[in-house]
Amino acid sequence: MSVRRYRVQHRTVYEYSDVVTSSYGRAYLTPREFPGQRLLSHDIHVDPVPSDRSVGADVYGNTTLYFHVTADHERLEVTGESLVDVGRPAEMPDVPWEMARPATENGPLAVEFALDLTPPELTPGIAAYAAQSFPPGRPLPEAVAELTTRIHTDFTYESGSTTVSTSVADVFQARAGVCQDFARLAIACLRSRGLAARYVSGYLSTDPPPGKERMVGVDATHAWAAVWLPDAPGPGRWIGFDPTNDQFANDRYVTVAWGRDYADVPPLRGIIYTDAKESTITVSVDVAPLEVPDA
C-alpha cells in the first residue's frame, strides 16, 4: 500500500501577566496507530521542564501525557513532534444505512458512540435535518456524502463565531461555526438516525497555492467525524468524513485522537495556580510532507 509521510510539529505557548507557581497539564498530541496509519517517532517537549510527567492511555485508547511544572514561570511552551505514515483508506461497501446501526451482537464497541450526550444534543430540528439524507434503503456512503455536502453548503465557516462550550443546537441555529462545530453537528445527525459516530482530532496537510512555497507553522489542528461500518467477522471499521472540506478523509489526514465529543480529546487542558489577571495562548502547527524512502 502506498503511503504519505508527514513531519508534524504542534507548538502551544501560554504567556501570563504574573508568575505561575504550579501548572498541571494533560496533552493529546500523540498520533494514533491503526491500520492505515503508523507512528514512526514522537516526542513532547515541555518548557519549563516538568518535575513530574507520565504517559498513559485513556478509555478510548488515545495516548495522553500528564505533566506538572513546579518551577515559577510566566511562559509555558508545549511542543509535540511526530513522524507519521498515512495510507489511503479502503472503499466503503454500499450497504443500506439501516444495516450500519450497531447492536450488542454486531457492534458492541460501537454502541456507545450511537448514544446521545449529556446534556442532550439530538433535537427534533437536527433529526429532521439529518433525515433528508437518509431515506429508507439508501447506501451508507451515498447518505453520508450528501450529509457532508449539505453541512458544507448550509453552514458558514466563521473563525471566532463559537467557543468550545457552544452547543450543537446553537451552531445549528446560527448556521455558522468552525471545523469542530461541523464535526459535532455531523455526529449528532448520524446519532439521530441510530448510527455510531465519533469525533476525530488531528491534522490536515494543506497544499500551498500554485507557484508558492509552503509556509511553515501556518497549518492548524483539524477535526472531522467518523461513522461506524459493520464488517463481519470483526469489530467493524470507521470511515472518516470532513464536512468542513466536503470530502471523505484520505491520506492527507493525520489522526491524533478520537472520542465521543471534543471534550474527550482537546489537544491541551490543565490547571494553573497564579495571581495573573491576563494570559495569552499562541498555537502554531506545521504538517510537512516528506519523501518516503524506497523499500
Side-chain angles (χ1 to χ4, degrees):
M1 179 182 68
S2 62
V3 299
R4 293 193 181 193
R5 179 165 297 176
Y6 302 100
R7 183 184 65 246
V8 180
Q9 183 182 80
H10 182 160
R11 175 179 287 113
T12 305
V13 178
Y14 300 91
E15 295 184 287
Y16 306 97
S17 60
D18 202 348
V19 172
V20 175
T21 57
S22 184
S23 179
Y24 295 87
R26 183 183 189 186
Y28 284 90
L29 296 173
T30 306
R32 294 192 64 125
E33 286 210 60
F34 54 90
Q37 180 169 296
R38 187 161 65 105
L39 182 60
L40 303 177
S41 64
H42 175 73
D43 200 3
I44 298 177
H45 309 277
V46 182
D47 182 26
V49 175
S51 58
D52 182 37
R53 62 184 285 166
S54 63
V55 176
D58 70 3
V59 67
Y60 301 115
N62 303 301
T63 299
T64 66
L65 168 71
Y66 297 87
F67 62 87
H68 182 199
V69 176
T70 54
D72 288 357
H73 59 281
E74 297 179 21
R75 182 181 187 274
L76 174 68
E77 180 174 324
V78 182
T79 304
E81 296 182 337
S82 309
L83 188 65
V84 189
D85 279 352
V86 182
R88 184 172 293 276
E91 296 294 326
M92 279 196 292
D94 285 334
V95 298
W97 68 266
E98 296 94 336
M99 300 298 293
R101 287 170 167 161
T104 53
E105 65 273 11
N106 75 339
L109 301 180
V111 169
E112 177 186 2
F113 291 89
L115 303 176
D116 199 0
L117 300 177
T118 302
E121 293 189 336
L122 306 188
T123 65
I126 287 175
Y129 182 82
Q132 298 177 47
S133 294
F134 290 85
R138 190 175 198 181
L140 180 65
E142 185 179 311
V144 171
E146 182 182 292
L147 176 66
T148 301
T149 298
R150 288 175 57 221
I151 293 175
H152 177 78
T153 303
D154 295 344
F155 292 77
T156 302
Y157 187 96
E158 188 175 333
S159 181
S161 61
T162 59
T163 69
V164 295
S165 60
T166 302
S167 70
V168 169
D170 287 342
V171 172
F172 185 69
Q173 182 176 4
R175 289 296 198 270
V178 295
C179 59
Q180 292 90 341
D181 303 306
F182 300 158
R184 295 174 62 228
L185 173 61
I187 289 166
C189 287
L190 292 178
R191 289 175 180 164
S192 75
R193 309 309 295 159
L195 298 167
R198 67 188 182 193
Y199 180 95
V200 187
S201 70
Y203 312 104
L204 174 59
S205 175
T206 56
D207 297 321
K212 300 289 186 180
E213 294 185 2
R214 68 177 304 275
M215 299 176 67
V216 175
V218 299
D219 295 322
T221 56
H222 193 50
W224 58 99
V227 60
W228 181 78
L229 179 69
D231 187 15
R237 57 193 175 101
W238 294 84
I239 308 298
F241 63 99
D242 181 5
T244 303
N245 293 290
D246 191 16
Q247 62 186 15
F248 284 98
N250 53 34
D251 52 7
R252 294 171 56 214
Y253 288 73
V254 177
T255 298
V256 172
W258 57 60
R260 295 196 65 221
D261 190 46
Y262 168 86
D264 292 331
V265 289
L268 281 165
R269 63 155 59 105
I271 300 173
I272 64 171
Y273 294 86
T274 182
D275 292 325
K277 304 300 182 184
E278 298 179 355
S279 64
T280 61
I281 177 174
T282 305
V283 180
S284 64
V285 175
D286 186 51
V287 183
L290 302 177
E291 292 290 334
V292 180
D294 295 333

